Amino acid sequence: MTSANPWLTGPEQSPDPQPDVAPPSTRKEQARIGSVAPQAGVAVPDTADRLPRYLQAWQATVWWLGVHGGAGESTLAALTAGSRPAQHGWPIPDTAGTVHRVVLVARTNWGGLTAAQRAATEWASGALGDGVQLGGLVLVADAPGRLPKPLRDLQQVISGGVPRVWTLPWVQTWRLGPVEAFTSLPREFRALLADLQLTTSSSAHN
């Protein structure tokens, strides 16, 4: 964890480009640690750059917040018992003293990464109050193959502004049909569920 404010100091230069878009092979590498709480001095984004806020009475193990359409929040919610999709808006508790655990979800294309950066900045500004606990950011591959260097660099910048980052691979079979049996889940998905202490949903396809 770093004490520097990544939103104020700006990005550092990436030392060496990563060899591939493939997610890290170990959970130690998979879960990167960044800012764990809102940062003093981070300005609240303009209204147009903020996500909607919805009062939510529901309880959930995790709220998956897709920061743009097609991010993958519904797929993650279908995979995990007790979790819910946040419908692309911050799930604000409607009861005082309640805290909702939220994990941002974005694709690794430019639009997805910049949307994730805006959402992370909104959280870092402290504008959401005490009702939202940010667990981290899930980045879902937007295509198979190598991620271009500009996107890798942007991903590195964003990683410093959220508590944790998980990168999930492209799953070709899910493009063609429903989520398959849990035994076929890539290890990166299983690591994500383990890190967040989630279990797979019995209602998904087997």
Side-chain angles (χ1 to χ4, degrees):
M1 180 175 67
T2 177
S3 60
N5 185 335
W7 305 114
L8 299 181
T9 59
E12 297 179 358
Q13 294 296 318
S14 177
D16 292 309
Q18 296 298 317
D20 202 321
V21 69
S25 59
T26 69
R27 287 179 58 187
K28 182 178 180 181
E29 294 170 333
Q30 175 84 350
R32 300 181 57 187
I33 305 300
S35 299
V36 297
Q39 303 289 303
V42 177
V44 181
D46 292 338
T47 302
D49 291 331
R50 303 176 206 167
L51 290 171
R53 302 180 188 183
Y54 303 127
L55 285 178
Q56 296 285 3
W58 297 97
Q59 293 298 311
T61 52
V62 163
W63 288 90
W64 303 108
L65 173 48
V67 298
H68 59 87
E73 66 170 33
S74 296
T75 296
L76 290 171
L79 283 171
T80 49
S83 71
R84 292 182 178 275
Q87 307 302 328
H88 308 296
W90 295 103
I92 306 300
D94 71 346
T95 303
T98 300
V99 177
H100 287 167
R101 184 167 62 148
V102 177
V103 173
L104 304 176
V105 186
R107 294 284 176 170
T108 54
N109 55 27
W110 183 86
L113 290 173
T114 54
Q117 187 172 36
R118 290 193 297 269
T121 302
E122 185 175 0
W123 165 78
S125 72
L128 299 170
D130 298 329
V132 171
Q133 177 190 56
L134 187 64
L137 167 65
V138 172
L139 293 175
V140 184
D142 67 302
R146 182 177 176 81
L147 193 67
K149 185 178 184 301
L151 298 181
R152 294 199 305 269
D153 291 344
L154 180 55
Q155 179 177 321
Q156 182 180 13
V157 172
I158 299 168
S159 297
V162 293
R164 304 183 74 168
V165 174
W166 296 269
T167 55
L168 302 182
W170 175 265
V171 182
Q172 178 65 21
T173 56
W174 292 359
R175 186 183 189 189
L176 304 175
V179 174
E180 294 296 337
F182 302 128
T183 54
S184 66
L185 279 180
R187 66 178 182 277
E188 295 85 1
F189 283 79
R190 296 195 300 268
L192 168 67
L193 270 56
D195 287 337
L196 293 173
Q197 298 181 326
L198 300 173
T199 58
T200 51
S201 172
S202 60
S203 62
H205 295 270
N206 286 286

